[in-house]
Amino acid sequence: MTKHIYIYSPSSAVRDKAAFRRGVKRLKALGHEVEVDDAALSVHQRFAGDDATRLAAISRAAASGADVALISRGGYGLTRILDAIPYKAVAKAIDKGTEFVGCSDFTALQNALLVKTGAVTWSGPAVGEDFGAEAGSDDIMEACFDDLVTGQGEGTGWRMPARDAELKFKPVQDAVLWGGNLCVLASLIGTPYFPVVDKGVLFIEDINEHPYRVERMLDQLKMAGVLARQRAIVFGQFTGIRKVPGYDRGFGLNTVIDRLRASLKVPVLAGLPFGHVPTKVLLPLGAKVSMAAEGRDVFLVWGHRHAAAHDDHHGHDHHHHGH
């Protein structure tokens, strides 16, 4: 199914032009009509153009009428312009059927948009690092992206780590899914752009952060009263962790997770295939989800977001999962 994909750069400048070109080529090979924003490869300092240029690019993405507005890459740059983003225009575009997809720094726009408008965006791939990966685009990521563009996506699932084989949690229903990159999320605490979500499912991921920094950010969220209000905390992938040999003495991400579990009544799940990794699922940030587990297998379901939410409808929605 050919879809119109609009590629723009709201954050860091594209450094790996070869990956960007591979990504565009891959999306075309998948049968999509790809439109690249005029400023997609702009450079100003470390950014994809100055603040005004990137704001204009977001506006063009919103006005594009595309099926998907996809970021070229993450990096840094959106927190700088949160006060000036055209939230209403983006929400209107989403309402008309444009799905905004991205990750990493894009977390800032996603959560700010959720606060300002309640609009749902997708935590998912970027052009360069995902569709343009040197080893080739990941099959599971592509299948999830295809689910989004064809309107087939109803949920996702994963296996918890073996160490969590005995973990039990009550099924969660109709909870708002939110979160994203932990560092970006923590930077929004105390600002008007941090979502106040009660009884939600908070998912987090990060890259190149030492376990103690991850713990410090989690403690900040905890002490701000955010974590205890959730129905579940879900750890995605935390990659590029470099422990200090002979110094950390076993202090790692598992230590951080175990301490968090001991200090919270809220279930803390791990293993979500999302983050700065090739195999990533697409997640509707701001949507209502249900989550349950059978043994180590976790199921996260959102059904057809655009469909009318009648009870009888939901029965049909999830019917084919069993086949």
Side-chain angles (χ1 to χ4, degrees):
M1 199 184 285
T2 302
K3 294 290 178 181
H4 175 192
I5 297 174
Y6 193 91
I7 295 169
Y8 68 112
S9 300
S11 301
S12 286
V14 172
R15 282 169 76 178
D16 191 340
K17 305 251 192 338
F20 179 81
R21 284 192 295 268
R22 281 195 303 267
V24 170
K25 195 174 159 189
R26 180 62 193 154
L27 283 161
K28 285 178 177 171
L30 290 169
H32 301 304
E33 176 203 328
V34 179
E35 184 182 356
V36 177
D37 184 77
D38 287 347
L41 295 174
S42 294
V43 179
H44 170 78
Q45 294 172 346
R46 64 178 300 120
F47 308 101
D50 62 16
D51 291 353
T53 299
R54 297 193 327 283
L55 281 164
I58 294 169
S59 289
R60 284 193 297 272
S64 67
D67 296 295
V68 177
L70 186 62
I71 63 166
S72 61
R73 62 160 300 186
Y76 168 67
L78 279 164
T79 36
R80 284 171 56 118
I81 55 177
L82 287 180
D83 284 339
I85 285 170
Y87 296 107
K88 281 186 177 138
V90 174
K92 198 172 161 187
I94 291 169
D95 206 36
K96 287 182 172 171
T98 301
E99 306 286 9
F100 277 72
V101 180
C103 56
S104 189
D105 189 52
F106 192 61
T107 297
L109 188 153
Q110 292 183 279
N111 285 280
L113 186 71
L114 180 62
V115 171
K116 294 289 180 193
T117 71
V120 173
T121 52
W122 292 84
S123 297
V127 175
E129 70 177 304
D130 294 301
F131 286 103
E134 209 159 356
S137 197
D138 183 79
D139 291 346
I140 291 171
M141 181 279 290
E142 280 193 359
C144 293
F145 185 76
D146 190 60
D147 274 351
L148 168 64
V149 299
T150 56
Q152 299 300 306
E154 300 181 345
T156 190
W158 73 95
R159 292 209 88 181
M160 290 190 278
R163 69 188 287 267
D164 293 341
E166 300 305 307
L167 190 73
K168 297 274 183 278
F169 72 94
K170 285 197 202 90
V172 172
Q173 280 174 324
D174 282 337
V176 173
L177 181 69
W178 69 294
N181 180 268
L182 177 60
C183 190
V184 176
L185 205 60
S187 76
L188 298 178
I189 292 176
T191 73
Y193 307 108
F194 188 83
V196 179
V197 178
D198 279 314
K199 300 185 169 69
V201 171
L202 172 64
F203 71 96
I204 47 171
E205 59 80 24
D206 221 320
I207 184 168
N208 299 340
E209 292 288 3
H210 190 287
Y212 82 82
R213 294 175 63 100
V214 172
E215 180 166 90
R216 186 164 61 195
M217 289 186 282
L218 284 164
D219 274 346
Q220 188 183 359
L221 285 166
K222 190 174 77 181
M223 292 186 283
V226 175
L227 301 187
R229 291 209 307 266
Q230 306 309 312
R231 297 286 295 282
I233 315 293
V234 182
F235 276 71
Q237 305 303 302
F238 282 73
T239 44
I241 285 177
R242 287 181 292 274
K243 292 196 233 173
V244 184
Y247 185 74
D248 277 307
R249 299 184 185 277
F251 179 84
L253 191 66
N254 284 342
T255 321
V256 173
I257 290 174
D258 290 343
R259 177 175 168 269
L260 188 64
R261 281 177 176 155
S263 68
L264 271 186
K265 291 193 175 87
V266 179
V268 177
L269 282 58
L272 174 72
F274 184 76
H276 289 71
V277 288
T279 302
K280 55 162 73 80
V281 296
L282 274 79
L283 301 165
L285 190 146
K288 291 274 185 81
V289 299
S290 296
M291 191 168 70
E294 286 173 28
R296 273 171 61 198
D297 291 317
V298 183
F299 302 95
L300 183 69
V301 181
W302 49 83
H304 285 316
R305 288 199 309 104
H306 296 303
H310 301 307
D311 290 339
D312 60 340
H313 201 96
H314 280 306
H316 296 306
D317 268 359
H318 310 312
H319 193 61
H320 72 254
H321 276 319
H323 300 317

